[in-house]
C-alpha cells in the first residue's frame, strides 16, 4: 500500500473540494492546501478520556460514596458529573483535531486550543519522535512557547511518513519543516515542490 495514498488515516486526503483537476492538492483558488485530521493516537486518547473519568468516579463511589460530608467544598455528585462531562468534551476535541495549511497560514484545532497563525509568525515546524510517536511542534518567532500540531501526530510508520510528505509538498510548510531529529541524510522534503 502506498503510504501517500488517501485514506482514513492519511493527511493527503484533502477531499473533493480541495483537490484540483489533477488531484495535485491545489484548492479551487489555485492555492496549495493540506488538511490533516486526527488519527489513531488522537482517537485512542478520545476513547480513553471518558473511560478514565468513569473509572475515577467509580473509585470514588466504591471508596467513599457520593454523599456530601462537611469536608467537601462541593457535592461529590456535582464533581462526578463535571469530571465525566469534561472528559467527554476533551474526548470529542481529541477525536476532531484538525489542521489546515493554506496560503494564508496554519489553522489548527487541538485538544484544548484552536488558533490561526500566519506563515510569517512561524519560525519552523519541528518534527519530534518520542515513544514511537511522531509529533510536529510549531516554533513561533520571538516566543519560547511552542504549540503542537495535534492533527499531525502519528505512530511512526507509513502514515507518519505520509504526514511529512504532505507537509513537505506545501510551499510554505515545506520551507519551515525541520526533521533534524530523523536519520542523518534522511531529508523528507528533498525533491518535492516547496522543498528548501
Amino acid at each position: 500500500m502506498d503510504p501517500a495514498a488517501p485514506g482514513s488515516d492519511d493527511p493527503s486526503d484533502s477531499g473533493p473540494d480541495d483537490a484540483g483537476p489533477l488531484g495535485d492538492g491545489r484548492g479551487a483558488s489555485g492555492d496549495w492546501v493540506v488538511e490533516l485530521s486526527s488519527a489513531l493516537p488522537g482517537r485512542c486518547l478520545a476513547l480513553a478520556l471518558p473511560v478514565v473519568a468513569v473509572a475515577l468516579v467509580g473509585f470514588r463511589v466504591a471508596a467513599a460514596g457520593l454523599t456530601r460530608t462537611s469536608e467537601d467544598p462541593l457535592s461529590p455528585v456535582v464533581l462526578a458529573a463535571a469530571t465525566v462531562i469534561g472528559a467527554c468534551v476533551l474526548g470529542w476535541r481529541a477525536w476532531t483535531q484538525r489542521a489546515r495549511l493554506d496560503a494564508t497560514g496554519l489553522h489548527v484545532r487541538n485538544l484544548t486550543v484552536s488558533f490561526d497563525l500566519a506563515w510569517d509568525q512561524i519560525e519552523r515546524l519541528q518534527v519530534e519522535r518520542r515513544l514511537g510517536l511522531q509529533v510536529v511542534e510549531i516554533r513561533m518567532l520571538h516566543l519560547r512557547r511552542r504549540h503542537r500540531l495535534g492533527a499531525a501526530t502519528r505512530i511512526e510508520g507509513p502514515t507518519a511518513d505520509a504526514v511529512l510528505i504532505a507537509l513537505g509538498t506545501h510551499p510554505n510548510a515545506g520551507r519551515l519543516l525541520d526533521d533534524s531529529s530523523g536519520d542523518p541524510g534522511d531529508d523528507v522534503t528533498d525533491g518535492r515542490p516547496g522543498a528548501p
Side-chain angles (χ1 to χ4, degrees):
M1 179 177 179
D2 179 9
S8 62
D9 196 27
D10 178 27
S12 62
D13 184 12
S14 54
D17 295 335
D18 295 322
L22 300 176
D24 60 0
R26 293 186 186 271
S29 64
D31 297 328
W32 199 273
V33 176
V34 173
E35 290 187 335
L36 304 172
S37 60
S38 184
L40 186 60
R43 292 176 182 164
C44 288
L45 180 63
L47 296 173
L49 286 168
V51 170
V52 169
V54 169
L56 288 173
V57 170
F59 178 75
R60 165 66 192 218
V61 169
L66 294 179
T67 306
R68 185 174 185 173
T69 65
S70 60
E71 299 167 0
D72 292 327
L74 288 174
S75 169
V77 173
V78 171
L79 292 176
T83 300
V84 172
I85 291 169
C88 289
V89 168
L90 284 177
W92 174 73
R93 294 268 314 188
W95 191 277
T96 59
Q97 290 180 97
R98 63 181 179 267
R100 180 180 171 92
L101 294 77
D102 58 25
T104 63
L106 187 57
H107 314 282
V108 179
R109 176 192 171 99
N110 276 347
L111 178 66
T112 57
V113 296
S114 298
F115 56 90
D116 297 315
L117 292 172
W119 290 112
D120 60 1
Q121 295 175 290
I122 303 170
E123 179 183 345
R124 71 180 182 270
L125 300 173
Q126 180 71 48
V127 179
E128 301 283 345
R129 290 174 181 85
R130 302 177 190 134
L131 303 172
L133 291 179
Q134 173 184 285
V135 298
V136 178
E137 291 187 344
I138 304 164
R139 310 261 175 126
M140 292 175 286
L141 289 170
H142 313 298
L143 291 176
R144 293 181 58 171
R145 184 175 179 194
R146 297 174 283 189
H147 286 293
R148 181 164 293 161
L149 191 57
T153 302
R154 298 290 191 272
I155 296 172
E156 289 188 71
T159 57
D161 295 340
V163 167
L164 294 184
I165 290 168
L167 293 176
T169 58
H170 189 281
N172 294 310
R175 177 177 48 83
L176 298 170
L177 191 61
D178 182 358
D179 189 18
S180 58
S181 66
D183 296 330
D186 183 20
D187 185 1
V188 297
T189 60
D190 191 30
R192 289 189 303 273

